[in-house]
């Protein structure tokens, strides 16, 4: 086959250099340049002509080769016959798991490109090279898992021995032995917060008290290094974290294994467990029996955020002339009311904002076709499914071909054309190829199954939206069930709502980001009152 770009057939005389480091390896100085210098010297030594260099910088080895930017380009150029050999620094540059490495090699092999390692005796153009490749790929994954297990075991031993890693809880610092020690001035603040809450104070009241007193926020302290400052004001979240931090009563709980396991450490207590238990009980009671003024349910709960500080805007009632009005407002800014140096929180009329968003959602319901198309695009288009199905068929066909090839080798040996030693090498090579194909086929079939499940989810969403369209009047009824349905719809269709004050006139501007595109009739909104105005912002 002649190459269209002037190179020899399949680029057999030319090679490609593939380099990769992850962000973690960059921190350990395993840079792209080290690999580049080594491979260039390797090519000069063996008089190899380099077609191109493909460098994925800051890409994890768990990402398949065809999903990496430069990895995708490498495969495309291999398919176009630009080179016949890919040279890597080490095998783990292709991937950090057996599946990723085998998949990368299989894709290159199917495109006519063999693989060679600069630091390992790997050349997949020969049966013996493929055998070594298989063993090293298996050892690479085994070694990686071994290192991970040893690292985790070492960390767990250190945790059980009382050592602390990472940022110290507020009120503590880490000494030179890695143990938590009390910071007296911060411990006083912790003690005051928890005692106040145990006597009935709320999280909001404590945040406001601390801001009024000008108390610095917790920030972060790693080891014995200088403390890094936190935000400029206290909000409900850090106060809540302090009340719930078990270390203050003498037992620090460290979550490991993705939060599945908990290791308890004995640390110097700041206050008695009884006080902290009373504070936790008060918070639980407040949550169970909230202030009746806040009994109104807010449709956009969890979606509205302050554009100035990023904090959540929560429901807030306000009374005027004997009437109660409901707003969404920044709880962090509200806790700082009266402090001139901090931003003034936006106040969004809850009824107006909820009607505005619901009008858009209603438009979606009347014609959900566009929404559903975008849902399908997000879970992967038809082309993705066709590509995966084509790869599954190719793998199945090649797997069947390897079985027929085994029979041919046995017949060739029986006819005396190859020795028993050669037969052993060929059959071992063939077994590894077969095992790899089965591994890849299982992975592709799992991916296809996931695609089908996602398609079924999209169909379910479609059926739900169309069913709701027929029952829109029921959804808008004033019942708890109807409110729950409306809230589910809003969370499905709205990504976020941001509110901020315009510097030129002080009016509040909001930006609604929809998950699946803007409503077709949405050109812009405004409110007559001075509370807020809206300009249609960028849509996702």
């Amino acid at each position: 086959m002649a190459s269209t770009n002037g190179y020899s057939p399949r680029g057999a005389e030319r090679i490609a250099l593939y380099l990769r480091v992850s962000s973690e390896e960059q921190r350990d100085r395993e840079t792209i340049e080290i690999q580049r210098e080594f491979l260039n010297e390797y090519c000069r030594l063996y008089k190899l002509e380099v077609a191109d260099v493909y460098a994925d910088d800051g890409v994890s080895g768990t990402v398949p080769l065809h999903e990496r930017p430069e990895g995708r380009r490498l495969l495309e150029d291999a398919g176009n016959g630009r080179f016949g050999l890919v040279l890597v620094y080490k095998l783990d540059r292709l991937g950090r798991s057996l599946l990723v490495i085998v998949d990368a090699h299989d894709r290159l092999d199917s495109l006519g490109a063999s693989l060679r390692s600069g630091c390992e005796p790997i050349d997949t153009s020969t049966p013996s090279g493929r055998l070594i490749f298989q063993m090293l790929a298996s050892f690479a994954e085994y070694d990686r898992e071994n290192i991970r297990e040893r690292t985790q075991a070492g960390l767990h031993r250190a945790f059980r021995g009382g050592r602390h890693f990472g940022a110290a809880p507020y009120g503590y610092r880490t000494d030179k032995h890695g143990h938590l020690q009390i910071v007296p001035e911060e411990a006083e603040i912790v003690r005051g917060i928890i005692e106040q809450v145990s006597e009935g104070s709320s999280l909001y009241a404590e945040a406001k008290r601390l801001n009024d007193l000008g108390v610095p926020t917790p920030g972060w302290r790693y080891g014995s290094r200088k403390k890094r400052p936190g935000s400029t004001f206290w909000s409900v979240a850090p106060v809540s974290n302090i009340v719930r931090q078990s270390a203050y009563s003498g037992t620090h709980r460290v979550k490991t294994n993705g939060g599945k396991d908990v290791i308890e450490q004995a640390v110097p207590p700041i206050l008695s467990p009884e006080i902290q238990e009373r504070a936790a009980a008060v918070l639980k009671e407040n949550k169970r029996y909230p202030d009746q003024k806040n009994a109104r349910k807010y449709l956009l709960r969890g979606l509205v955020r302050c554009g100035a500080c990023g904090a959540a805007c929560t429901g807030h009632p306000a009374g005027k002339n004997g009437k109660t009005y409901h707003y969404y407002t920044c709880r962090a800014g509200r806790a700082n009311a009266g402090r001139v140096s901090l931003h003034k929180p936006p106040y969004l009329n809850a009824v107006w904002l909820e009607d505005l968003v619901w009008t858009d959602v209603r438009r979606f319901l009347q014609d959900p076709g566009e929404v559903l198309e975008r849902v399908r695009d997000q879970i992967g288009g038809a082309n993705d499914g066709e590509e995966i199905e084509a790869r599954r068929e190719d793998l199945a066909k090649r797997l069947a071909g390897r079985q027929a090839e085994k029979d041919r080798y046995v017949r060739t040996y029986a006819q005396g054309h190859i020795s028993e030693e050669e037969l052993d090498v060929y059959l071992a090579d063939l077994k590894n190829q077969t095992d790899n194909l089965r591994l890849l086929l299982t992975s592709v079939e799992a991916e296809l199954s996931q695609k089908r499940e996602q398609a079924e989810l999209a169909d379910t969403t479609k059926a739900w939206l169309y069913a709701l369209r027929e029952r829109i009047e029921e959804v808008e009824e004033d019942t708890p069930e109807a409110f729950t349905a409306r809230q589910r719809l809003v969370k499905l269709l709205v990504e976020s709502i941001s509110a901020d004050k315009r510097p030129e006139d002080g009016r509040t501007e909001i930006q609604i980001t929809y998950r699946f595109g803007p409503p077709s009739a949405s050109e812009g909104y405004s409110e007559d009152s001075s509370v807020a105005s809206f300009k249609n912002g960028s849509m996702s």
Side-chain angles (χ1 to χ4, degrees):
M1 182 181 74
S3 174
T4 57
N5 54 16
Y7 301 134
S8 58
R10 304 306 303 166
E13 297 176 354
R14 297 165 64 82
I15 72 167
L17 306 184
Y18 180 70
L19 325 169
R20 183 196 64 80
V21 293
S22 66
S23 55
E24 291 79 9
E25 290 164 331
Q26 286 172 333
R27 288 196 293 268
D28 293 334
R29 302 175 184 270
E30 185 72 22
T31 65
I32 286 286
E33 289 309 313
I34 291 176
Q35 298 177 44
R36 193 191 307 271
E37 291 172 9
F38 178 89
L39 294 180
N40 283 333
E41 187 61 33
Y42 184 99
C43 292
R44 282 193 293 270
L45 179 63
Y46 290 98
K47 297 180 173 57
L48 299 172
E49 182 183 358
V50 178
D52 206 345
V53 178
Y54 304 81
D56 278 313
D57 202 347
V59 178
S60 170
T62 60
V63 177
L65 181 67
H66 64 281
E67 294 181 10
R68 305 172 196 167
E70 287 292 270
R72 170 68 73 174
R73 187 169 74 89
L74 175 77
L75 293 171
E76 289 173 354
D77 287 352
N80 292 330
R82 289 202 62 197
F83 48 80
L85 177 69
V86 176
L87 178 64
V88 295
Y89 178 63
K90 286 182 180 179
L91 190 61
D92 63 4
R93 298 305 87 197
L94 278 182
R96 285 292 192 175
S97 73
L98 180 62
L99 177 60
V100 173
I101 294 172
V102 168
D103 181 68
H105 169 252
D106 183 75
R107 289 175 185 272
L108 288 168
D109 185 64
S110 65
L111 297 171
S114 55
L115 179 68
R116 186 183 297 178
S117 168
C119 297
E120 299 148 328
I122 296 174
D123 184 349
T124 60
S125 61
T126 66
S128 58
R130 287 193 293 270
L131 284 174
I132 296 172
F133 162 79
Q134 186 70 26
M135 288 187 293
L136 287 177
S138 300
F139 288 151
E141 182 172 43
Y142 172 76
D143 189 48
R144 177 172 173 262
E145 290 302 311
N146 240 3
I147 291 171
R148 186 180 65 82
E149 288 182 7
R150 287 199 305 270
T151 302
Q152 283 189 344
L155 280 173
H156 291 180
R157 284 195 299 272
F159 283 139
R160 291 190 181 94
R163 294 190 63 187
H164 179 80
F165 300 91
Y170 180 65
Y172 292 95
R173 66 163 58 92
T174 309
D175 64 17
K176 63 180 181 179
H177 302 294
H179 298 144
L180 292 178
Q181 299 296 330
I182 293 175
V183 179
E185 59 273 19
E186 293 180 0
E188 281 300 316
I189 296 167
V190 168
R191 196 175 295 112
I193 292 171
I194 297 177
E195 287 176 350
Q196 290 283 347
V197 172
S198 71
E199 294 172 4
S201 181
S202 67
L203 299 177
Y204 164 72
E206 283 306 292
K208 188 175 187 309
R209 179 180 69 85
L210 293 167
N211 286 323
D212 290 342
L213 292 173
V215 175
T217 55
W220 297 271
R221 181 184 284 112
Y222 293 90
S224 58
R225 284 176 283 178
K226 186 178 179 182
K227 181 179 176 181
R228 292 169 54 188
S231 59
T232 53
F233 50 83
W234 288 82
S235 62
V236 169
V239 178
S240 175
N241 292 338
I242 286 173
V243 175
R244 292 177 170 84
Q245 173 56 262
S246 64
Y248 299 136
S249 53
T251 303
H252 186 217
R253 293 184 175 88
V254 181
K255 293 183 179 180
T256 63
N257 194 21
K260 296 178 182 177
D261 301 324
V262 177
I263 296 174
E264 294 188 347
Q265 296 177 336
V267 297
I270 289 177
L271 42 72
S272 69
E274 293 76 21
I275 295 176
Q276 194 159 24
E277 287 170 7
R278 285 204 306 270
V282 169
L283 292 187
K284 186 176 180 181
E285 194 73 6
N286 290 346
K287 189 174 181 180
R288 185 179 177 189
Y289 299 109
D291 191 335
Q292 291 302 308
K293 292 186 296 181
N294 291 314
R296 180 187 189 273
K297 293 183 178 179
Y298 290 85
L299 183 68
L300 307 178
R301 186 181 64 185
L303 293 174
V304 187
R305 304 199 76 81
C306 176
C309 70
C313 289
T314 55
H316 178 66
K320 185 177 181 181
N321 299 328
K323 291 185 178 181
T324 300
Y325 300 90
H326 297 275
Y327 300 93
Y328 289 94
T329 184
C330 170
R331 64 185 183 184
R334 203 166 74 239
N336 286 278
R339 297 188 77 193
V340 179
S341 62
L342 300 174
H343 77 283
K344 294 182 179 179
Y347 277 79
L348 305 173
N349 186 298
V351 175
W352 168 75
L353 183 59
E354 290 170 0
D355 286 346
L356 175 68
V357 173
W358 181 250
T359 300
D360 288 343
V361 171
R362 213 177 194 281
R363 288 197 189 101
F364 278 126
L365 279 181
Q366 290 168 350
D367 183 17
E370 181 185 358
V371 178
L372 297 170
E373 287 302 316
R374 292 175 183 270
V375 171
R376 290 188 179 278
D377 287 344
Q378 286 198 357
I379 66 174
N383 291 338
D384 291 343
E386 291 173 3
E387 182 179 333
I388 297 171
E389 180 61 41
R391 180 151 174 77
R392 190 196 70 79
E393 292 177 1
D394 175 63
L395 289 169
K397 182 178 178 181
R398 287 160 56 197
L399 185 60
R402 291 299 184 274
Q403 186 60 45
E405 192 174 344
K406 178 182 178 182
D407 296 338
R408 287 197 299 273
Y409 279 133
V410 172
R411 286 197 302 272
T412 303
Y413 167 71
Q415 293 167 1
H417 298 302
I418 59 174
S419 66
E420 184 176 350
E421 290 77 11
E422 289 174 317
L423 177 64
D424 289 342
V425 171
Y426 287 135
L427 291 183
D429 179 30
L430 200 56
K431 181 182 182 302
N432 285 329
Q433 292 183 50
T434 302
D435 289 344
N436 288 347
L437 288 171
R438 287 200 180 103
L439 175 67
L440 295 173
L441 189 58
T442 301
S443 173
V444 167
E445 287 175 343
E447 192 174 356
L448 272 175
S449 176
Q450 185 181 28
K451 284 285 181 183
R452 293 189 194 102
E453 289 177 5
Q454 290 174 333
E456 288 174 6
L457 176 62
D459 290 338
T460 303
T461 303
K462 176 180 179 180
W464 185 56
L465 286 174
Y466 275 108
L468 283 175
R469 184 178 63 172
E470 301 300 323
R471 300 168 51 200
I472 189 66
E473 291 79 10
E474 294 179 32
V475 175
E476 291 179 329
E477 289 178 357
D478 188 18
T479 65
E481 295 77 16
F483 177 84
T484 300
R486 289 198 301 276
Q487 199 168 55
R488 282 180 63 196
L489 267 170
V490 168
K491 288 188 176 180
L492 173 70
L493 299 175
V494 180
E495 177 73 34
S496 64
I497 302 170
S498 175
D500 198 3
K501 287 186 178 294
R502 297 193 303 203
E504 60 269 21
D505 55 16
R507 288 167 65 86
T508 300
E509 183 177 73
I510 65 173
Q511 178 174 302
I512 305 175
T513 303
Y514 292 92
R515 291 186 187 275
F516 310 124
S520 56
S522 182
E523 291 295 336
Y525 306 86
S526 63
E527 188 189 22
D528 291 334
S529 73
S530 61
V531 174
S533 63
F534 173 66
K535 177 183 178 182
N536 197 22
S538 60
M539 302 294 178
S540 63

